[in-house]
Amino acid sequence: PQGKSLNCPSCRRPTPLPEDSISGLQPAFLIHHLFEIRDTLVKVKKVKGPQKTQCEKCRKGDATSFCRVCGQFLCTVCTQIHKDWAELSTHEVISLDRLEGDVTQLVPPTKKITYCSKHPTKESDLYCETCEELVCRDCIVRVHRDH
């Protein structure tokens, strides 16, 4: 007997469904991202209305800005902490006034992906200080673990 299939939301081709569950299917990242943008737009519109958008970090103050990297609304205090904290200082934080005028600001900045020279399908997201090179997780465990 033929198994069931589901049309892919991106390419519209029939995709066979596993017999036990659909958990093995790839998520539709583009569609999920569009829903995230829609939800963020709803929050931006609330800023101008009677209900304010709450800071998503401290949950105490009203949001005054949006971090494109974290995808979170921030109050004045958390915005300043975001700018002062070294690990977050490179994040792009924009005011809600600017955000409302340009919805493209909701799209997170693109990340350049570097792949491992030894494992071309693996992302080089770790740095070996001894060898001074970007490496993948496999290389860290196998080649660079002793230094």
Side-chain angles (χ1 to χ4, degrees), residues 36-37 39-48 53 56 63-69 71-74 92-108:
E36 289 172 357
I37 289 174
D39 294 344
T40 304
L41 277 172
V42 168
K43 289 178 183 176
V44 169
K45 288 180 180 181
K46 281 171 76 176
V47 171
K48 297 292 182 186
T53 298
E56 294 180 308
T64 57
S65 63
F66 179 78
C67 176
R68 290 186 65 209
V69 178
Q72 291 186 315
F73 288 94
L74 306 170
E92 189 178 351
V93 178
I94 56 176
S95 74
L96 291 185
D97 292 333
R98 186 172 150 214
L99 181 66
E100 189 175 11
D102 185 5
V103 295
T104 60
Q105 298 294 324
L106 296 172
V107 178

Side-chain angles (χ1 to χ4, degrees), residues 20-123:
D20 54 346
S21 91
I22 61 169
S23 63
L25 295 176
Q26 293 293 318
F29 292 110
L30 176 63
I31 292 171
H32 285 283
H33 185 64
L34 289 172
F35 280 127
E36 289 172 357
I37 289 174
R38 182 207 59 201
D39 294 344
T40 304
L41 277 172
V42 168
K43 289 178 183 176
V44 169
K45 288 180 180 181
K46 281 171 76 176
V47 171
K48 297 292 182 186
Q51 294 180 327
K52 297 288 186 181
T53 298
Q54 193 177 50
C55 175
E56 294 180 308
K57 285 287 184 191
C58 70
R59 305 225 182 263
K60 294 177 185 171
D62 291 336
T64 57
S65 63
F66 179 78
C67 176
R68 290 186 65 209
V69 178
C70 297
Q72 291 186 315
F73 288 94
L74 306 170
C75 66
T76 306
V77 173
C78 291
T79 298
Q80 192 58 49
I81 291 169
H82 224 70
K83 290 176 181 178
D84 293 342
W85 197 17
E87 289 83 4
L88 301 173
S89 64
T90 59
H91 288 198
E92 189 178 351
V93 178
I94 56 176
S95 74
L96 291 185
D97 292 333
R98 186 172 150 214
L99 181 66
E100 189 175 11
D102 185 5
V103 295
T104 60
Q105 298 294 324
L106 296 172
V107 178
T110 55
K111 174 184 162 189
K112 183 181 176 193
I113 297 174
T114 307
Y115 292 95
C116 180
S117 59
K118 293 185 177 66
H119 306 98
T121 60
K122 304 281 185 175
E123 188 177 337

Side-chain angles (χ1 to χ4, degrees), residues 10-26:
S10 299
C11 68
R12 304 282 188 236
R13 289 190 216 149
T15 303
L17 290 173
E19 289 184 30
D20 54 346
S21 91
I22 61 169
S23 63
L25 295 176
Q26 293 293 318

